[in-house]
């Protein structure tokens, strides 16, 4: 394995059909494509093993330079190759599921010569079931048919193809104005009627019609130099949203490393319920109420169990609960980063913060006018009652440490949030609940955290009881309303985090304690957004804006960002693109826009109405009981 066998993580673009996604490298190679769904086994996985994983590449035969862009406000990707002889563009997309009349199980690749003459090579190496299934390839009238154990693909080609073993190759020359289409028809779409040009036009129309619109008055809370970055983040979130269930994947990939050559490689093709509160806030303020509602109703359905203890931290995008973690030992991993994992054993952990995040989302939807029916309220009441029972027990925490359960401060605070929002919902909505008992427990948790979670010697809220480690989740305590931003303990915590966890003014580590795993990791993009939010809501708006703009410089040229950034090199680390990173960008832009005088389309964001920001009147906080 050589590093140059693997493009940088940030070099990739992503396309998808609201059921699955494909990563496209700058050299025109589709290096990752699970099928038929995001969490399904891969057809191409060169991003995880350059030799064994499989790919579908279309690129010039001569040396070239690359420019890439998304067609404005869409998820249709254009890769332009410049050679000495001319320029050609490859346009990649899959029709959004259920949104056009064209089959969603076809990867369309349009080749067009913009200038001069360009010779191109086609190289198809399918490797079904993470390259575990035996692959057979044979000629077919329209191109080449590849079959594995359960899946197959038909490459519909305008040129003659050569087949050697399980590899398909071909070459073609294009001159100015020439256009050709290659269609990778996956299982179920081999014989579907297709009109490539119409599929492209309808896909472009769908995405552009769906993307954020500032409205007729032109006043947008996201106004600023970052507006286009916010729209791209919105389009990423939509791309990661499953059309059928409404669930939003944390990322479209598995096992892209947080530490090159290390073991911190996880499968993120699932939905973490902890993302719910801030996700709903982002979606509602972007004006995508349908997506927010679908996501809300999806995770509410997951809470139907009579026993709230059965609620998992994460689920498959169809609600699957069995996410057994396994290792693909035959894959070397991205740049030798092994193991390559599928599934995620964090689904079996106790993560008490999850309940608070669920209640944040319920409260956010309620504030936007979504009433709870009696059955939904019964589920919420059961969750809040359960939190009363378990809040003082240790858990694995938001960061899913594998070194043993502890009394994490953030988990305690989020248990407080579950009760706090439960009381507010019951009071506002007139729902039946033991509000007096809930309030008593809420006050007990608060007192416990203030006594054991804040360390006088450290001068900050720490990661866990008895620890002196700092944790970036301390930045969220005022945003969720636990204490106001003007509280000395909050100011001291922000200062301590800035001194200890922040590098170069914008890169924020998650924590500085032991997590039971070897190796290091990069700065966590979402934590950088939390830091921006905390600065802005503490009255340091100009400073927050400057740091936010610096962070945005690390988005790739397509506007995409991974889970983490290496502060030394600026390289992206972890799974890509990361939903939580893009959610953080949307919410940071929301806070900055609000504090700069723009109105949000709905209620004030939670950090405004609950955190009592410095510089805003106290009436901005609407504690409701």
């Amino acid at each position: 394995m050589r590093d140059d066998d693997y493009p940088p993580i940030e070099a990739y673009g992503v396309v998808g059909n609201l059921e699955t996604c494909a990563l496209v490298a700058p050299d025109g190679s589709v290096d990752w494509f699970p099928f038929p769904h995001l969490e399904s086994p891969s057809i191409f996985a060169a991003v995880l093993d350059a030799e064994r994983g499989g790919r579908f590449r279309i690129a010039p035969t001569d040396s070239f330079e690359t420019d890439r862009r998304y067609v404005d406000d869409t998820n249709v990707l254009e890769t332009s190759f410049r050679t000495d002889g001319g320029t050609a563009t490859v346009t990649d997309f899959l029709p959004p599921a259920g949104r056009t009349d064209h089959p969603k199980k076809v990867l369309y690749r349009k080749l067009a010569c913009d200038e001069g003459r360009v010779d191109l090579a086609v190289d198809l190496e399918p490797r079904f079931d993470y390259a575990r299934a035996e692959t057979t390839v044979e000629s077919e009238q329209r191109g080449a048919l590849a079959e594995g154990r359960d899946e197959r693909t038909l490459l519909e080609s305008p040129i003659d193809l050569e087949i050697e073993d399980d590899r398909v190759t071909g070459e073609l020359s294009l001159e100015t104005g020439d256009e050709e289409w290659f269609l990778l028809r996956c299982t179920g779409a081999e014989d579907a009627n297709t009109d490539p040009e119409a599929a492209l036009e309808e896909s472009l129309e769908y995405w552009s019609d769906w993307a954020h619109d500032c409205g007729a008055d032109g006043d947008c809370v996201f106004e600023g130099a970052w507006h286009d970055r916010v729209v791209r983040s919105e389009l990423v979130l939509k791309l990661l949203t499953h059309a059928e269930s409404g669930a939003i994947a944390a990322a479209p990939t598995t096992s892209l490393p947080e530490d090159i050559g290390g073991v911190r490689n996880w499968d993120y093709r699932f939905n973490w319920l902890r993302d719910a509160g801030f996700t709903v806030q982002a979606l509602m303020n972007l004006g995508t109420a349908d997506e927010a509602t679908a996501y809300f109703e999806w995770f509410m359905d997951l809470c139907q169990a009579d026993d709230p203890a059965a609620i998992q931290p994460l689920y498959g995008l169809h609600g699957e609960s069995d996410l057994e973690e396994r290792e693909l030992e035959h894959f070397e991993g991205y740049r030798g980063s092994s193991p390559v994992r599928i599934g995620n054993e964090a689904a079996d952990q106790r993560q008490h913060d999850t309940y608070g995040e669920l209640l944040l989302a319920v409260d956010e939807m309620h504030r936007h006018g979504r009433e709870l029916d009696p059955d939904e309220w019964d589920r919420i009441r059961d969750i809040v009652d359960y939190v009363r029972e378990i809040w003082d027990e240790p858990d694995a925490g938001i960061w899913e440490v594998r070194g043993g359960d502890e009394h994490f401060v953030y988990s305690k605070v989020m248990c407080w949030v579950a009760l706090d929002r439960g009381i507010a919902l019951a009071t506002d909505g007139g729902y039946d609940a033991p509000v007096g008992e809930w309030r008593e427990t809420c006050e007990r948790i608060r007192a416990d955290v203030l006594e054991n979670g804040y360390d006088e010697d450290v001068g900050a809220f720490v990661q866990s009881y008895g620890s002196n480690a700092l944790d970036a989740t301390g930045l969220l305590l005022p945003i969720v309303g636990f204490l106001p931003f003007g509280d000395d303990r909050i100011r001291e915590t922000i200062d301590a985090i800035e001194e200890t966890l922040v590098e170069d003014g914008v890169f924020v580590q998650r924590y500085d304690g032991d997590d039971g795993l070897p190796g290091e990791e990069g700065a966590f993009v979402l934590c950088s957004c939390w830091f921006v939010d905390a600065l802005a809501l503490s009255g340091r708006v100009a400073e927050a804006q400057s740091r936010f703009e610096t962070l945005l410089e690390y988005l790739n040229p397509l506007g995409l960002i991974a889970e983490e950034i290496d502060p030394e090199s600026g390289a992206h680390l972890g799974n890509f693109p990361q939903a939580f990173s893009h959610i953080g960008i949307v919410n940071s832009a929301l806070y900055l826009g609000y504090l700069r005088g723009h109105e949000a389309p709905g209620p004030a964001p939670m950090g405004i109405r609950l955190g009592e920001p410095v510089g805003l009147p106290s009436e901005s906080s609407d504690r409701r009981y």
Side-chain angles (χ1 to χ4, degrees):
M1 179 276 300
R2 301 177 318 215
D3 281 358
D4 57 9
D5 290 333
Y6 294 89
I9 291 171
E10 64 270 20
Y12 281 98
V14 62
V15 296
N17 65 356
L18 305 180
E19 290 186 353
T20 189
C21 289
L23 292 191
V24 185
D27 67 351
S29 179
V30 178
D31 285 352
W32 175 248
F33 185 39
F35 182 84
H37 298 113
L38 207 60
E39 66 271 45
S40 299
S42 61
I43 297 175
F44 309 124
V47 72
L48 297 176
D49 193 304
E51 181 179 348
R52 302 179 186 87
R55 59 169 51 84
F56 178 18
R57 184 171 183 260
I58 301 177
T61 57
D62 298 326
S63 60
F64 58 87
E65 295 180 352
T66 302
D67 284 328
R68 290 193 299 167
R69 62 181 289 268
Y70 283 108
V71 179
D72 294 345
D73 295 342
T74 76
N75 282 313
V76 175
L77 179 65
E78 292 183 341
T79 302
S80 293
F81 301 112
R82 295 191 309 277
T83 71
D84 290 341
T87 303
T89 297
V90 177
T91 300
D92 288 310
F93 70 97
L94 293 97
R99 273 60 174 183
T100 76
D101 294 328
H102 303 274
K104 61 188 179 183
K105 298 180 179 181
V106 178
L107 172 61
Y108 290 82
R109 312 200 74 183
K110 177 183 180 180
L111 281 63
C113 184
D114 309 304
E115 182 181 3
R117 174 190 170 101
V118 180
D119 298 325
L120 298 124
V122 178
D123 188 350
L124 174 70
E125 299 178 79
R127 301 286 187 272
F128 299 101
D129 189 22
Y130 305 113
R132 294 180 298 188
E134 182 179 351
T135 301
T136 61
V137 183
E138 59 184 26
S139 294
E140 204 263 10
Q141 183 177 3
R142 291 172 290 173
L145 178 67
E147 295 185 279
R149 185 180 302 113
D150 300 310
E151 301 293 347
R152 58 190 177 275
T153 62
L154 171 63
L155 177 58
E156 187 174 310
S157 168
I159 62 172
D160 293 332
L161 300 170
E162 296 184 5
I163 298 174
E164 184 175 351
D165 296 327
D166 51 7
R167 182 179 180 185
V168 180
T169 59
E171 292 188 3
L172 71 161
S173 296
L174 298 180
E175 297 184 354
T176 304
D178 288 346
E179 295 181 353
E180 298 289 359
W181 286 88
F182 287 82
L183 276 60
L184 188 71
R185 296 172 173 270
C186 301
T187 305
E190 299 93 335
D191 298 318
N193 292 326
T194 53
D195 180 342
E197 287 292 349
L200 175 58
E201 289 304 314
E202 290 184 31
S203 296
L204 289 170
E205 182 179 2
Y206 168 75
W207 288 117
S208 60
D209 287 349
W210 180 86
H212 172 69
D213 184 352
C214 296
D217 58 9
D219 183 36
C220 178
V221 72
F222 298 109
E223 181 179 334
W226 48 76
H227 186 275
D228 288 347
R229 299 303 199 183
V230 170
V231 174
R232 176 51 52 195
S233 291
E234 175 196 36
L235 285 160
V236 170
L237 294 178
K238 181 62 173 177
L239 203 58
L240 298 178
T241 301
H242 195 280
E244 181 181 340
S245 67
I248 303 174
T253 56
T254 180
S255 299
L256 293 184
E258 300 170 14
D259 178 24
I260 301 296
V263 302
R264 296 170 181 263
N265 319 313
W266 314 108
D267 193 346
Y268 275 13
R269 296 172 295 162
F270 312 112
N271 178 265
W272 271 255
L273 295 185
R274 78 160 58 91
D275 300 358
F278 292 108
T279 301
V280 167
Q281 173 171 282
L283 292 175
M284 291 302 291
N285 282 282
L286 284 164
T288 53
D290 289 346
E291 284 71 19
T293 301
Y295 178 44
F296 170 79
E297 292 177 350
W298 177 76
F299 68 68
M300 285 299 296
D301 285 343
L302 294 176
C303 299
Q304 286 184 354
D306 293 334
D307 181 10
I311 297 174
Q312 297 181 179
L314 62 147
Y315 290 88
L317 303 184
H318 297 83
E320 302 94 331
S321 57
D322 182 6
L323 305 181
E324 179 187 358
E325 186 173 295
R326 290 165 288 166
E327 297 181 2
L328 300 179
E329 297 180 357
H330 60 291
F331 275 173
E332 70 171 4
Y334 177 85
R335 296 191 177 179
S337 304
S338 63
V340 172
R341 296 181 173 94
I342 55 174
N344 198 311
E345 72 176 31
D348 299 326
Q349 290 184 343
R350 289 161 49 91
Q351 297 176 22
H352 295 164
D353 62 290
T354 299
Y355 303 109
E357 273 109 10
L358 280 173
L359 265 294
L360 278 181
V362 174
D363 184 56
E364 191 72 16
M365 289 298 297
H366 183 71
R367 290 185 56 79
H368 281 271
R370 172 59 159 79
E371 296 295 331
L372 299 172
D373 64 38
D375 186 51
E376 289 172 334
W377 175 249
D378 285 346
R379 292 175 234 163
I380 295 303
R381 186 178 57 199
D382 287 346
I383 289 173
V384 179
D385 281 336
Y386 177 68
V387 170
R388 289 190 67 221
E389 300 174 8
I390 54 89
W391 72 267
D392 58 351
E393 299 175 5
D395 74 326
I398 184 175
W399 303 130
E400 302 174 347
V401 298
R402 301 202 175 190
D405 290 354
E406 296 185 37
H407 290 280
F408 287 103
V409 171
Y410 183 70
S411 293
K412 307 293 186 191
V413 169
M414 294 312 290
C415 286
W416 174 89
V417 166
L419 286 150
D420 176 82
R421 299 310 187 274
I423 294 166
L425 286 163
T427 303
D428 278 3
Y431 301 114
D432 178 53
V435 171
E437 296 177 6
W438 287 1
R439 184 175 288 115
E440 178 185 1
T441 304
C442 195
E443 293 170 353
R444 285 179 58 204
I445 298 174
R446 177 184 171 85
D448 191 72
V449 171
L450 293 177
E451 179 180 354
N452 299 300
Y454 181 84
D455 189 299
E456 295 282 356
D457 294 331
V458 176
F461 284 96
V462 291
Q463 183 178 54
S464 60
Y465 288 5
S467 164
N468 61 3
L470 291 175
D471 192 306
T473 53
L475 299 166
L476 295 178
L477 270 56
I479 290 177
V480 300
F482 186 75
L483 285 175
F485 278 95
D487 188 282
D488 288 344
R489 291 161 293 188
I490 293 298
R491 289 202 301 266
E492 291 167 358
T493 298
I494 294 172
D495 290 344
I497 288 173
E498 181 173 9
E499 180 179 349
T500 305
L501 300 182
V502 180
E503 186 174 341
D504 293 337
V506 71
F507 298 116
V508 183
Q509 301 290 333
R510 292 187 295 172
Y511 45 78
D512 62 354
D514 179 51
D515 59 9
L517 290 169
E520 300 179 353
E521 63 180 18
F524 207 71
V525 174
L526 179 64
C527 294
S528 294
C529 294
W530 291 346
F531 182 53
V532 167
D533 302 343
L535 291 180
L537 295 166
S538 296
R540 299 159 64 179
V541 179
E543 184 182 349
Q545 178 172 327
S546 176
R547 299 195 193 210
F548 184 54
E549 291 171 346
T550 298
L551 177 64
L552 295 181
E553 293 176 3
Y554 290 89
L555 292 164
N556 80 357
L558 293 170
L560 310 178
I561 198 163
E563 179 184 22
E564 300 178 3
I565 300 291
D566 182 340
E568 293 186 6
S569 67
H572 291 209
L573 297 169
N575 287 300
F576 175 89
Q578 177 80 358
F580 227 169
S581 297
H582 285 280
I583 289 166
I585 287 169
V586 172
N587 282 323
S588 290
L590 174 66
Y591 287 125
L592 286 170
Y594 196 94
L595 293 170
R596 292 164 71 223
H598 298 287
E599 290 188 12
M606 74 175 73
I608 302 289
R609 68 176 187 266
L610 297 169
E612 299 182 23
V614 174
L616 287 182
S618 60
E619 304 88 79
S620 64
S621 173
D622 64 348
R623 309 288 325 147
R624 288 169 282 167
Y625 63 92

